[in-house]
Amino acid sequence: MRSLNPLAAAVIACLAFSASAQQPIVLQWQTANLTESQYEPVWKATIAEFEKENPGVRIEPVLVARKDHWTKFVAAAQAKKAPCIVTVDLTTAAYNGYLMPLDKYWNAEPAEFRRAWSEAMLSASKWKGQLYGLPIWGGTYAEIYNRDLVTKAGLDPAKPPKSWNDYMVWAKKLSGSDHWATAVLGGKTDTTTRILLMWIWSNGGEAFNADMTEATFAKNPKSLEAIKFYLGLVKDGVAAPAPTTTNYLEQTNLFAQQKIATMRNAYWALAKVSGDNPAMKGRMFVAPGPANVPNAPTLTSVAASSISASCPYPEQAWKFIKFDAGKKWTVERAKVANWMPTRNDMADDPAIKSDPLLAQFVQIGNNARSYPLPSPIWAEIAANDIVDAVQKALLAPEKTEEIFTDLDARLTKKLKDV
Amino acid sequence: MFLFLCAVVLFPLAHAFWTSLLRVRGLSSRFVGAENYQHVLTDDAFWHSLGVSLTFTVACVVLHIGIGLAMALLIDELRFARTALRIAFLTPWMVAPAVGATIWLWLLEPQFGVVNYLLQAAGIVSGPIAWLGTPALAFASVAAVDVWRGVPFVMLLMLAGLATIPREQYEAAAIDGAGGWQRFRYVTLPNLRYLLIVASTLDIINTIRHYDIIGVMTAGGPAGATEVLPVLLYNTAFRGNRFGEAAAIGVLLLLIVLAFSIFHIRLTRPDRGAR
Amino acid sequence: MRGRRVQWLRWLVTLVALVVVVFPFYWMLNTSFKPASEIFLSPPTFASANWSLDAYATVLTRRPVGRYFLNSLAVALGTTALSVTLAAFAAYGFTRFFPRGAMPFIVLLLFTKMLPETLLIIPYFRLMSDLGLLNTYAALVLAYSSFALPFSVWMLIGFFRSIPRDIDEAAMIDGATYLQAFWRVILPLARPGLVAVALFTFLIAWNSYVWALVLTTDSSMYVLSVGIANMVGEYRVQWNELMAAAVIAALPVMILYSLLERHLVNAITAGAVKG
């Protein structure tokens, strides 16, 4: 135990004995965001205010590096000692029995509370018909452009490319000997998969069938066409070299240092780039990604707060989740950390309206599919199998069809095995 | 107290072995006997990973020992700033592996990394090289970083060993007309034999289970070129959530390492009984 | 003179090797002194007019690095104490009472090292949680000790073997029990070996990450390696602060090693070489 002065310990023991006050209920809260430095003042304020309104309940934050967040959660969940309030890959966690269904608490809420979340948004937090989390924040992806580089290339920032052909025209003009139009993500994280999916959808293709039992990367000709086009940007010389080691970090670095003129990224990337290079602040504009079919959806990554299966105080945990999902904190999150609201009643909020880029993202997000895709093995598929295929295709472009046919077979087998 | 030691050793082994016989899905598990092993052994990914692991381990250990010994011989003779030199050469070992790997990740970054910058400034290469971008180069890069990490320990052991070799043996060899190389072969090496065995055995075991460097730098990419068994195991356990299979891989890895070590020790200590 | 030329050559090669080995650490320092906006400049800057200690100040005031440091220290010292004690007893026992059991025991201890850490995380967590030891120094000390033991025992066995039994017997003729003989006579003789084992164990405990990650949830119990890893946010990373923390983490080990380096070499010399 932490070393306590014996006298202090004795005094505390006496007090605890004599006082008939209840022991405070301690709820642990684990989300990878707690280690984001810009979010720190917000979550501290959230906890402080909640504890003031709810004496007798203490929220204990569990800080963990993002890359190890799942590992730590699983280790604790396996021993049935996971933190009460968590934000994790919902489908996978629910499938493995780590989360508690929330329908009981959800249905007990007044209708006006429940109206704030659309059916589409909620479906991202459901597994086998039961609700396992309350969507808290999201990130919509769009094409972010560097205004200065665009004008320098003789292009019009008010008319961003709408189709693939337009995009290629722009891309060629934005590339030179040591700078490129964009970057293809091929690094070993699931962001690679996110961007790939968006390109597939922008061609009217699909990566999976409706109930996620079959993969159609190569089977669907439109998907394959999209894959070839997107990965081919490197060969065409309009995307930065070394795509197999390009993740979100490298991509935003390249953009911040003006080595690439555009990137497919989420709203939070704006803050990252401004932080890396203050000169970029205000010099970016946003547009939906180019598409070959009308109304092609973009992607919104949704994070939800859930209650772990072993939590001994679910009512209090739900109270905190509701509190955290309230308008005030949603606005704070959007302002300091650029995490977008998942509530649909925020469009008229002055804080949101006053930030034109955010408003644009919200608008683009009205036509978006939620991510992660609802499969319990999504974490593995997205970060391992699909990425491996992308990397192989980047290294041997002539074999793209073969590689993705192979991927289809492997994924279908895994999906059927669930 | 011996019981404590035994418990500490046997518990994780027993648990790993038991888990490898189960199909684990979250909190529930089902006994499936050897099915996990069958699954793993028929999976291409496992054999590929094994190949990468073996190549990586052999290459790195050979380089660790070779360069470590060479470095020890090199700085043994230097009198000036002896302690400072030794500490300096020990630095890679003192920095946490993940931190070291992150720094090398930067240094090797294609657009902003110092290595490419220096190479281009010196005119050795014309464009940025993607050190971790292609399979062969990525493998070489992570191996190089692992060598950077692993040489100090070997060097330290060798330095200590060299310090014990009695001068007379060298002098006797010189009198017999032995040249530099022969002195090395007939005086230095035999004296260092036991140390070399200790160093290499530990090194094999450490390298074959090492996760940090590859995990941080390439996560097994590109296209599985650096996916050594610990990486495969981690991905199976915590990305795939298939703990039973991961345990099976772990047990197989243990058997491989055991076999490797026994073979290695037998090979290098035929006269152990003589001591 | 040929001797001079060889000496110069030695120095040259040593210097080149030194640069390669120490460069990452220099880069760590460089980055920790830079302001955030300069870190990813292309071309990179080797020394900057804007060098300052700001990152260090921020890291020490805004983050509980001091607390992390103390935790690391407590855990590392605890591990060292426990490990050295156990290893000493084990080595003593095996050299004096069960000489033939030494090798198999060492192999058994090596088994734990052969299993990748990934597999052990979950069973250890469950064990510590059941014992109520989560968020305690004890949990980490136990975990690290089990990893440091194999090498320690191996080294100390070599060392104790080189101390002749006559000394034990002489002490016991004077009326001491085995334990007293061990404590008063053998241990002081074995001191360099103990120092070496202590340094080695300290390093393992100081730099280890995975265990502290999993076995502690209360941030006031975090160790340095966890504190540093937590600075890597996805959406924004303060690299200069991160490197400052990493430098702070590396310093104690360096200081410790430079102070005790002589013992280390002596110890390995006497203990391991003679087998």
Side-chain angles (χ1 to χ4, degrees):
Chain A
M1 291 300 280
R2 270 160 280 172
S3 51
L4 272 181
N5 184 319
L7 183 60
V11 169
I12 291 176
C14 285
L15 283 176
F17 235 41
S18 58
S20 55
Q22 278 179 322
Q23 281 276 56
I25 293 176
V26 177
L27 300 174
Q28 287 187 318
W29 181 27
Q30 180 177 335
T31 149
N33 289 341
L34 296 176
T35 47
E36 299 293 339
S37 56
Q38 67 273 33
Y39 185 50
E40 200 177 309
V42 175
W43 65 252
K44 285 196 167 149
T46 310
I47 292 182
E49 207 176 289
F50 181 80
E51 285 179 356
K52 213 163 57 152
E53 289 180 16
N54 295 278
V57 180
R58 255 194 353 109
I59 307 283
E60 186 186 294
V62 177
L63 302 170
V64 58
R66 182 171 293 271
K67 65 177 171 70
D68 300 308
H69 169 63
W70 175 254
T71 306
K72 194 170 162 81
F73 171 68
V74 168
Q78 285 273 320
K80 301 206 171 62
K81 279 217 153 160
C84 262
I85 306 156
V86 290
T87 300
V88 287
D89 183 336
L90 197 128
T91 323
T92 311
Y95 168 80
N96 281 304
Y98 298 145
L99 298 179
M100 190 185 286
L102 300 174
D103 299 275
K104 189 168 74 176
Y105 305 105
W106 174 255
N107 292 330
E109 293 299 327
E112 62 174 280
F113 173 80
R114 287 183 276 144
R115 249 203 302 271
W117 283 270
S118 67
E119 204 41 58
M121 187 58 69
L122 285 178
S123 68
S125 303
K126 285 197 178 161
W127 167 248
K128 290 232 155 66
Q130 289 186 296
L131 186 70
Y132 280 95
L134 187 60
I136 293 283
W137 58 269
T140 300
Y141 280 73
E143 197 78 13
I144 303 178
Y145 296 87
N146 179 329
R147 189 182 291 273
D148 297 328
L149 290 181
V150 163
T151 12
K152 208 160 69 157
L155 299 161
D156 185 1
K159 298 214 186 83
K162 288 211 161 57
S163 72
W164 285 11
N165 287 336
D166 296 341
Y167 189 76
M168 274 314 274
V169 168
W170 274 52
K172 292 220 161 75
K173 290 219 175 113
L174 290 167
S175 307
S177 59
D178 68 341
H179 59 277
W180 302 269
T182 185
V184 166
L185 269 92
K188 200 140 176 157
T189 64
D190 80 322
T191 320
T192 298
T193 305
R194 292 182 202 186
I195 316 286
L196 187 70
L197 283 176
M198 279 187 269
W199 280 97
I200 291 178
W201 296 338
S202 75
N203 198 31
E206 286 294 336
F208 295 91
N209 68 348
D211 55 0
M212 295 291 291
T213 52
E214 195 189 342
T216 55
F217 283 89
K219 203 157 153 197
N220 184 324
K222 295 215 162 115
S223 307
L224 191 60
E225 193 186 352
I227 295 174
K228 285 189 178 157
F229 177 78
Y230 169 55
L231 297 182
L233 292 176
V234 181
K235 246 188 329 136
D236 295 337
V238 301
T244 52
T245 48
T246 307
N247 289 312
Y248 168 85
L249 197 65
E250 292 76 15
Q251 180 198 32
T252 45
N253 269 348
L254 286 168
F255 189 80
Q257 303 298 336
Q258 316 226 18
K259 287 275 187 179
I260 57 177
T262 157
M263 62 172 177
R264 183 71 60 97
N265 219 320
Y267 180 54
W268 51 66
L270 296 175
K272 164 97 173 34
V273 168
S274 304
D276 283 347
N277 184 359
M280 287 291 288
K281 208 176 162 80
R283 310 303 308 157
M284 300 176 268
F285 69 93
V286 168
N292 281 345
V293 299
N295 282 332
T298 183
L299 184 148
T300 296
S301 157
V302 176
S305 280
S306 312
I307 302 183
S308 65
S310 53
C311 182
Y313 309 109
E315 290 90 15
Q316 285 79 1
W318 175 251
K319 246 182 161 175
F320 180 74
I321 291 180
K322 262 196 331 180
F323 180 79
D324 193 37
K327 286 198 180 178
K328 170 170 182 191
W329 303 110
T330 305
V331 167
E332 285 299 313
R333 274 189 291 267
K335 274 186 356 206
V336 312
N338 294 43
W339 294 322
M340 293 173 54
T342 51
R343 300 175 68 114
N344 53 22
D345 53 357
M346 305 291 305
D348 290 328
D349 188 292
I352 308 273
K353 282 221 284 215
S354 64
D355 182 344
L357 284 177
L358 177 56
Q360 234 184 323
F361 266 101
V362 170
Q363 200 219 10
I364 293 174
N366 283 335
N367 179 16
R369 291 209 207 162
S370 66
Y371 179 95
L373 296 187
S375 167
I377 51 173
W378 183 251
E380 185 188 14
I381 298 179
N384 269 352
D385 299 278
I386 299 181
V387 172
D388 273 346
V390 167
Q391 287 181 336
K392 287 201 184 103
L394 285 168
L395 294 168
E398 66 283 357
K399 294 214 189 110
T400 305
E401 177 157 2
E402 193 185 310
I403 292 169
F404 279 92
T405 313
D406 196 45
L407 176 70
D408 277 345
R410 206 149 17 113
L411 288 182
T412 306
K413 184 155 162 265
K414 276 191 178 167
L415 288 167
K416 293 216 154 78
D417 196 28
V418 160
Chain B
M1 164 248 322
F2 289 119
L3 286 178
F4 168 75
L5 287 174
C6 289
V8 161
V9 172
L10 291 178
F11 169 68
L13 270 180
H15 186 274
F17 189 66
W18 175 243
T19 311
S20 72
L21 299 175
L22 307 172
R23 178 174 166 139
V24 180
R25 169 185 158 161
L27 296 170
S28 58
S29 51
R30 206 182 56 186
F31 184 81
V32 291
E35 189 182 300
N36 284 327
Y37 289 96
Q38 184 195 16
H39 205 240
V40 166
L41 290 170
T42 52
D43 189 8
D44 280 337
F46 173 75
W47 292 105
H48 170 80
S49 187
L50 182 61
V52 174
S53 255
L54 288 177
T55 321
F56 183 75
T57 306
V58 168
C60 287
V61 172
V62 165
L63 286 173
H64 286 164
I65 304 285
I67 298 182
L69 184 55
M71 295 296 312
L73 287 171
L74 195 69
I75 76 174
D76 191 38
E77 298 289 313
L78 299 171
R79 299 284 149 208
F80 181 67
R82 198 188 183 86
T83 307
L85 263 186
R86 286 176 187 219
I87 300 293
F89 277 111
L90 274 184
T91 340
W93 190 36
M94 294 189 210
V95 170
V99 174
T102 306
I103 305 210
W104 274 108
L105 196 57
W106 282 357
L107 295 178
L108 295 176
E109 219 266 337
Q111 296 299 325
F112 306 109
V114 179
V115 173
N116 273 345
Y117 172 69
L118 289 173
L119 287 178
Q120 287 179 277
I124 300 179
V125 297
S126 55
I129 302 181
W131 295 100
L132 299 172
T134 51
L137 212 48
F139 186 87
S141 301
V142 294
V145 175
D146 191 78
V147 168
W148 174 84
R149 162 195 77 89
V151 159
F153 179 64
V154 176
M155 190 189 80
L156 191 67
L157 285 182
M158 294 297 121
L159 272 176
L162 284 175
T164 65
I165 301 179
R167 289 258 127 204
E168 307 87 59
Q169 291 196 16
Y170 281 118
E171 280 155 23
I175 288 173
D176 280 352
W181 172 247
Q182 283 163 321
R183 284 207 300 276
F184 175 72
R185 199 164 153 225
Y186 293 111
V187 176
T188 316
L189 272 189
N191 275 293
L192 290 180
R193 190 203 194 99
Y194 183 72
L195 260 187
L196 280 171
I197 293 168
V198 170
S200 52
T201 311
L202 281 178
D203 204 26
I204 291 176
I205 296 178
N206 272 332
T207 307
I208 215 172
R209 81 195 273 273
H210 192 81
Y211 173 80
D212 284 325
I213 290 183
I214 296 186
V216 166
M217 294 184 82
T218 60
T226 57
E227 193 171 41
V228 292
L229 281 173
V231 173
L232 179 68
L233 197 143
Y234 183 85
N235 285 342
T236 310
F238 288 105
R239 276 211 177 128
N241 291 300
R242 298 196 297 273
F243 293 109
E245 236 177 81
I249 297 178
V251 171
L252 287 171
L253 179 61
L254 180 122
L255 292 174
I256 292 168
V257 174
L258 190 60
F260 222 121
S261 312
I262 293 181
F263 176 70
H264 177 81
I265 291 183
R266 280 273 163 79
L267 191 68
T268 47
R269 282 164 50 156
D271 59 343
R272 180 83 186 92
R275 286 196 191 262
Chain C
M1 268 230 284
R2 197 170 166 272
R4 285 299 289 278
R5 222 162 18 124
V6 168
Q7 198 69 346
W8 269 111
L9 204 60
R10 266 184 205 275
W11 268 106
L12 189 64
V13 178
T14 304
L15 239 45
V16 169
L18 197 65
V19 167
V20 171
V21 163
V22 172
F23 191 79
F25 192 70
Y26 156 72
W27 202 252
M28 254 169 83
L29 282 172
N30 186 13
T31 308
S32 69
F33 292 138
K34 280 186 194 172
S37 51
E38 272 194 37
I39 298 181
F40 282 107
L41 279 185
S42 160
T45 52
F46 286 81
S48 163
N50 293 330
W51 270 14
S52 71
L53 287 177
D54 282 348
Y56 288 89
T58 320
V59 152
L60 286 169
T61 51
R62 270 197 54 221
R63 294 174 176 285
V65 168
R67 175 82 216 194
Y68 296 160
F69 192 92
L70 283 177
N71 289 335
S72 280
L73 205 60
V75 170
L77 288 177
T79 308
T80 308
L82 182 66
S83 226
V84 169
T85 316
L86 287 180
F89 275 120
Y92 184 59
F94 278 116
T95 50
R96 297 300 186 249
F97 306 121
F98 317 107
R100 266 173 314 161
M103 220 33 221
F105 184 69
I106 292 179
V107 172
L108 188 66
L109 282 181
L110 282 176
F111 264 30
T112 40
K113 289 204 86 176
M114 292 188 202
L115 274 180
E117 289 177 327
T118 314
L119 274 185
L120 305 176
I121 298 177
I122 294 186
Y124 261 82
F125 182 89
R126 202 175 302 178
L127 182 68
M128 296 302 168
S129 151
D130 289 343
L131 291 175
L133 288 177
L134 282 183
N135 276 321
T136 63
Y137 292 143
L140 292 175
V141 167
L142 286 175
Y144 295 152
S145 297
S146 63
F147 293 124
L149 274 178
F151 181 71
S152 312
V153 173
W154 197 338
M155 276 251 289
L156 285 183
I157 284 185
F159 218 95
F160 279 47
R161 238 187 227 144
S162 70
I163 299 175
R165 295 184 91 144
D166 316 336
I167 299 190
D168 295 39
E169 275 148 32
M172 286 193 292
I173 286 173
D174 285 347
T177 61
Y178 269 119
L179 206 59
Q180 285 172 324
F182 177 65
W183 188 253
R184 300 244 179 78
V185 181
I186 308 292
L187 271 191
L189 278 178
R191 189 182 308 164
L194 296 174
V195 168
V197 164
L199 282 178
F200 183 76
T201 309
F202 186 87
L203 184 69
I204 291 186
W206 184 262
N207 276 336
S208 181
Y209 171 68
V210 172
W211 300 102
L213 166 77
V214 171
L215 295 174
T216 51
T217 53
D218 187 344
S219 59
S220 68
M221 289 299 284
Y222 281 176
V223 295
L224 267 177
S225 43
V226 174
I228 293 178
N230 284 353
M231 291 196 208
V232 183
E234 168 111 336
Y235 305 111
R236 191 183 295 174
V237 184
Q238 290 293 70
W239 290 107
N240 50 352
E241 286 175 22
L242 188 95
M243 286 299 130
V247 168
I248 294 176
L251 282 179
V253 183
M254 292 199 172
I255 295 175
L256 211 58
Y257 267 82
S258 34
L259 289 178
L260 298 172
E261 187 244 346
R262 199 168 307 133
H263 290 279
L264 192 65
V265 174
N266 284 348
I268 303 173
T269 296
V273 171
K274 308 238 168 51

